[in-house]
Amino acid sequence: MPPELAQEKIYTVDDIYGLPEGSRAELIDGQIYYMAPPNRTHQTIARELFSSINSYIKSNGNSCEPFFAPFAVFLNQDDVNYVEPDISVICDPNKLTDKGCSGAPDWIIEIVSPGSRRMDYYTKLFKYRTAGVREYWIVDPEKNRILVYDFESENTGDYTFADSVKVGIYNDLLINFSDIPIC
């Protein structure tokens, strides 16, 4: 008789909601990934990016809505994938529920922290692309780098904090990273 193989536990969204108060974690393909609190630089970048995006959307009468973490994104509309991107922009109001976003946002921005590097550059890149996210930005203050993946046009851009970066899902939105104060 063959030896028993250890079964890896598959976690669900219920396990995420069952975590102790104050715990932050994401769920990708049934695996829980705990998140450390963001540092000041991370929060400053998130605040400035969100402010620019929100201002643009409001002044242009756009139907998209921006959200910042913690905001629940149920990526594949299943119970084994749950993420909290730093910034999510959702243009289809039918994806929004009281719990968050059900399905792929149009645009996701992740700000890299030392503990999230592998997740942001590899795991989430693959997951977001296959889930149908239109555009994904990886903002890495430690490396002075912004990677832009425009999945619709299959273009990739590599920028620094001295650059202005065009947003692919809009015709006329540029984010000037040199205006963002880095702590």
Side-chain angles (χ1 to χ4, degrees), residues 75 104-108 128-136 151-152:
L75 257 185
D106 294 87
W107 179 21
I108 288 178
Y128 292 161
R129 178 181 210 134
T130 58
V133 172
R134 293 167 58 197
E135 186 167 352
Y136 175 42
F151 297 133
E152 287 186 317

Side-chain angles (χ1 to χ4, degrees), residues 77 87 114 162 181:
Q77 300 181 48
I87 298 174

Side-chain angles (χ1 to χ4, degrees), residues 57 62-65 89-96 104-107 134 169-170:
I57 288 172
N62 196 290
S63 64
C64 301
E65 283 193 65
V89 176
I90 295 98
C91 299
D92 180 354
N94 294 320
K95 290 183 178 181
L96 295 172
D106 294 87
W107 179 21
R134 293 167 58 197
I169 67 168
Y170 297 113

Side-chain angles (χ1 to χ4, degrees), residues 33-156:
Y33 298 91
Y34 290 93
M35 299 185 299
N39 64 26
R40 188 169 140 223
T41 298
H42 184 115
Q43 289 292 76
T44 299
I45 294 168
R47 178 192 69 226
E48 295 298 317
L49 288 173
F50 181 83
S51 179
S52 293
I53 295 163
N54 192 47
S55 177
Y56 172 84
I57 288 172
K58 285 171 104 176
S59 67
N60 286 284
N62 196 290
S63 64
C64 301
E65 283 193 65
F67 295 91
F68 52 85
F71 178 74
V73 173
F74 304 91
L75 257 185
N76 297 336
Q77 300 181 48
D78 59 26
D79 68 345
V80 294
N81 288 286
Y82 166 97
V83 292
E84 293 181 357
D86 290 306
I87 298 174
S88 304
V89 176
I90 295 98
C91 299
D92 180 354
N94 294 320
K95 290 183 178 181
L96 295 172
T97 70
D98 285 342
K99 287 190 171 191
C101 177
S102 184
D106 294 87
W107 179 21
I108 288 178
I109 299 173
E110 293 285 9
I111 301 161
V112 178
S113 299
S116 73
R117 188 168 302 285
R118 181 171 173 71
M119 285 289 292
D120 295 336
Y121 277 97
Y122 301 104
T123 307
K124 287 183 177 178
L125 171 63
F126 174 77
K127 199 69 189 168
Y128 292 161
R129 178 181 210 134
T130 58
V133 172
R134 293 167 58 197
E135 186 167 352
Y136 175 42
W137 288 19
I138 301 171
V139 178
D140 192 336
E142 192 176 291
K143 291 189 174 187
N144 184 30
R145 183 179 204 194
I146 300 100
L147 278 174
V148 173
Y149 294 92
D150 183 336
F151 297 133
E152 287 186 317
S153 65
E154 298 185 10
N155 287 328
T156 304

